[in-house]
Amino acid sequence: MEKRVINPWQWQDQRSYAQAVEVKQPESILYCSGQAAISTDGISSNSDMKTQLLQALENLETVIHTAGYSCSGIVRLNIYTTATAELWECFDIFREWIARHGVQQALTLLEVKSLFETLKVELEATVVKT
């Protein structure tokens, strides 16, 4: 497999994403449903944004590892949030997670009217086998 990050500019580096990611001949591809702050027994969190973001990242990591993939293989990540301003306040958590796992991904961030039940943030990923 060959993975190439395309960044015609440098400003996106400070925001922890790539403008595009090309993957040639991946061994396999994993499409992850949106992962949010839902406990192992299926209960949606009503905690603050920081706590929910941490749980969503943990859940995403669990799904990826359970499937036999690595977080460094994330090539596309969509973030859905009900409150962009609240998410920015704890975005350093996301950036540290990205750096820790060596992720280079195309990214879209969308503010939505609502998510399931009491959820504030949801992460949807596409992962390739590296």
Side-chain angles (χ1 to χ4, degrees):
M1 179 199 75
E2 181 183 335
K3 179 179 166 183
R4 181 172 70 117
V5 173
I6 297 96
N7 283 324
W9 311 283
Q10 294 180 350
W11 55 261
Q12 72 282 322
D13 298 344
Q14 297 301 315
R15 296 178 177 149
S16 300
Y17 75 96
Q19 296 296 330
V21 179
E22 177 184 42
V23 179
K24 292 182 180 179
Q25 301 176 339
E27 181 181 324
S28 54
I29 302 171
L30 178 68
Y31 299 93
C32 299
S33 292
Q35 297 302 306
I38 298 177
S39 68
T40 56
D41 52 356
I43 297 174
S44 297
S45 173
N46 59 4
S47 296
D48 63 13
M49 180 67 78
K50 179 181 178 181
T51 303
Q52 287 201 23
L53 178 58
L54 287 166
Q55 182 67 57
L57 288 167
E58 183 179 318
N59 288 350
L60 179 61
E61 195 170 338
T62 297
V63 168
I64 290 169
H65 288 156
T66 300
Y69 286 70
S70 169
C71 292
S72 64
I74 296 172
V75 294
R76 179 85 178 137
L77 186 62
N78 295 329
I79 302 174
Y80 304 95
T81 182
T82 58
T84 304
E86 285 182 53
L87 182 61
W88 286 136
E89 292 175 14
C90 55
F91 207 68
D92 58 321
I93 292 167
F94 173 77
R95 292 181 66 214
E96 290 167 9
W97 189 88
I98 291 293
R100 183 170 62 252
H101 292 287
V103 177
Q104 294 180 298
Q105 82 293 346
L107 179 103
T108 299
L109 170 64
L110 296 169
E111 184 169 304
V112 296
K113 184 176 178 179
S114 66
L115 292 168
F116 185 70
E117 298 180 336
T118 57
L119 300 173
K120 297 180 179 201
V121 63
E122 189 167 324
L123 310 171
E124 178 184 66
T126 302
V127 190
V128 296
K129 188 78 81 148
T130 56

